């Protein structure tokens, strides 16, 4: 079923047009990687704050992080769709690709949860006093998810 | 670089191990991509502040203090993994044009950064809290262009080697 869909997608005029241009995939991948750069730095800095300082940043800090996160994620999804349309068999039939997509959804859910928690409390959350563990777990989760997603992204080419 | 030197590098035991292993090269590549994205992300964060596009309300010195240690740490990791991958396919990589472009742009980005710190940022105290002067903006713009080219050339290597 999925295999048939991939064959159909690969045969569409749009996919054929993308496939015919040798520069298309590397160019889109370049934009994809640049978006990963912004996302990974934003996530890395937030995780560092949560794990080492054991506190959630202020509402303003989370707002700035969320702007970078959702904008980068939007670019990643758009470029990801273009890459999938160009090479549907490579992406959609790969178990690593599917694992990556699930991890991306979990990451988005964790960030959404964090954003909602902070939005509800003026001045943000300070977990240092009562919930050292919660801030650490949240930071570790974000860090592990981003490392796992990047690892999966690279291993799609090999598995 | 002479082909004899490249070939002898490729014959070193660790290089042979990397080239023959099914998982070592992809693992190094994964670590390289992670480190390089962190380098590019942190450098662009500084550059965009210089260009007045982001972090405008933060003092430049505070941002640089927070970000640059990560840049250098990740650069060391990217360089180390890059060297190991290069050793495994030295002859192929050295003949590859995108590889040379990537290498050249990294060198130019280093020169640009050194110029900025030695000349462009000399009067940093006067603009630390406000917009950067044109010299700093020019260094930021050059850095953005060079690092985007590094990423693009790096990706092209995968299609030409």
């Amino acid at each position: 079923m999925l295999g048939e869909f991939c064959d159909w997608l690969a045969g569409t005029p749009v996919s054929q047009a993308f496939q015919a241009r040798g520069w298309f995939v590397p160019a889109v991948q370049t934009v994809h990687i640049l978006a990963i750069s912004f996302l990974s730095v934003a996530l890395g800095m937030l995780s560092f704050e949560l794990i080492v300082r054991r506190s959630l940043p202020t509402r303003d800090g989370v707002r700035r992080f969320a702007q970078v996160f959702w904008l980068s994620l939007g670019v990643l999804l758009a470029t990801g769709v273009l890459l999938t349309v160009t090479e549907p068999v490579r992406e959609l039939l790969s178990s690593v690709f599917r694992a990556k997509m699930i991890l991306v959804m979990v990451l988005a859910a964790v960030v959404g949860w964090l954003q909602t928690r902070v939005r509800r409390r003026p001045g943000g959350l300070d977990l240092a006093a009562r919930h050292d563990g919660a801030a650490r777990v949240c930071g570790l989760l974000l860090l592990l998810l981003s490392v796992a997603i990047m690892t999966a992204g690279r291993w799609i080419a090999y598995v | 670089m002479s082909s004899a030197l490249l070939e002898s590098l490729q014959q070193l035991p660790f290089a042979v191990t990397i080239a023959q292993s099914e998982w070592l090269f992809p693992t190094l590549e994964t670590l390289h991509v992670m480190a390089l994205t962190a380098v590019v992300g942190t450098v662009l964060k500084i550059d965009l502040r210089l260009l007045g596009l982001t972090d405008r309300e933060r003092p430049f010195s505070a941002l640089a203090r927070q970000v640059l240690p990560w840049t250098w740490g990740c650069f060391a990791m990217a360089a180390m993994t890059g060297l190991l991958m290069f050793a495994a396919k030295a002859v192929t990589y050295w003949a590859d044009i995108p590889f040379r472009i990537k290498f050249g742009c990294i060198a130019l980005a280093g020169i640009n950064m050194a110029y900025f710190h030695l000349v462009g940022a000399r009067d940093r105290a006067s603009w630390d809290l406000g917009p950067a002067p044109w010299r700093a903006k020019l260094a930021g713009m050059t850095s953005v262009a060079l690092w985007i080219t590094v990423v693009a050339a790096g990706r092209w290597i995968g299609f030409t080697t």
Side-chain angles (χ1 to χ4, degrees):
Chain A
M1 180 76 178
L2 191 58
E4 285 169 19
F5 173 74
C6 289
D7 290 338
W8 168 80
L9 189 57
T12 56
V14 178
S15 181
Q16 292 282 317
F18 292 161
Q19 289 169 38
R21 285 155 182 81
W23 54 265
F24 186 77
V25 169
V28 175
Q29 284 181 344
T30 300
V31 179
H32 200 74
I33 293 171
L34 286 170
I36 293 172
S37 296
F38 282 102
L39 194 76
S40 63
V41 168
L43 275 168
M45 289 171 93
L46 183 69
S47 302
F48 180 76
E49 210 157 315
L50 290 165
I51 297 167
V52 178
R53 295 189 190 159
R54 299 178 199 183
S55 65
L56 278 175
T58 59
R59 180 189 274 194
D60 203 37
V62 171
R63 186 182 54 79
R64 277 200 306 269
F65 159 78
Q67 275 175 353
V68 176
F69 178 84
W70 294 113
L71 185 66
S72 305
L73 194 64
V75 174
L76 284 168
L77 288 176
T79 49
V81 167
L82 289 174
L83 292 170
T84 305
V85 169
T86 311
E87 298 176 309
V89 174
R90 179 186 188 264
E91 311 285 358
L92 296 176
L93 295 184
S94 161
S95 52
V96 181
F97 173 80
R98 289 180 213 165
K100 179 185 166 182
M101 288 304 103
I102 292 168
L103 291 170
V104 169
M105 284 189 268
V106 175
L107 178 68
V110 173
V111 170
W113 172 81
L114 194 68
Q115 234 182 315
T116 314
R117 288 286 301 263
V118 173
R119 201 179 289 148
R120 281 182 192 158
R121 300 192 186 192
L125 285 177
D126 183 4
L127 296 181
R130 287 179 302 154
H131 304 291
D132 266 14
R136 272 191 160 178
V137 168
C138 193
L140 270 174
L141 191 61
L142 289 174
L143 197 64
L144 287 175
L145 281 168
S146 40
V147 168
I149 290 166
M150 281 197 272
T151 304
R154 198 73 288 271
W155 279 77
I156 291 171
Y158 293 98
V159 179
Chain B
M1 209 180 286
S2 78
S3 59
L5 186 67
L6 293 168
E7 272 166 31
S8 55
L9 177 63
Q10 232 173 247
Q11 295 308 315
L12 290 172
F14 79 89
V16 174
T17 308
I18 293 167
Q20 288 177 348
S21 165
E22 275 186 21
W23 61 270
L24 258 177
F25 193 90
T27 303
L28 285 170
E29 201 179 39
T30 304
L31 293 171
H32 186 72
V33 170
M34 278 182 202
L36 194 69
T37 52
V39 171
V40 173
T42 51
V43 168
L44 291 184
K45 196 166 172 62
I46 297 274
D47 293 339
L48 295 179
R49 164 64 177 86
L50 289 175
L51 293 170
L53 298 173
T54 56
D55 293 299
R56 275 176 291 215
E57 73 290 353
R58 291 189 71 186
F60 177 79
S61 54
L63 184 68
R65 248 195 328 272
Q66 184 191 14
V67 165
L68 287 180
W70 293 100
T71 310
W72 286 113
C74 292
F75 184 80
M77 185 171 146
M80 203 169 65
T81 50
L83 186 69
L84 290 170
M85 287 195 296
F86 175 75
K89 295 183 191 175
V91 176
T92 310
Y93 280 138
W94 192 251
D96 186 54
I97 300 294
F99 175 82
R100 291 183 177 199
I101 293 172
K102 180 181 174 181
F103 213 69
C105 285
I106 291 172
L108 288 174
I111 294 168
N112 180 57
M113 191 186 253
Y115 170 80
F116 170 70
H117 284 289
L118 294 173
V119 182
R122 252 195 322 225
D123 57 346
R124 195 168 68 184
S126 63
W127 53 266
D128 198 36
L129 293 164
W134 68 268
R135 290 187 314 280
K137 282 194 167 82
L138 186 65
M141 224 180 309
T142 309
S143 174
V144 169
L146 286 170
W147 283 105
I148 288 176
T149 312
V150 168
V151 173
R155 198 68 290 273
W156 247 278
I157 291 171
F159 293 86
T160 53
T161 55

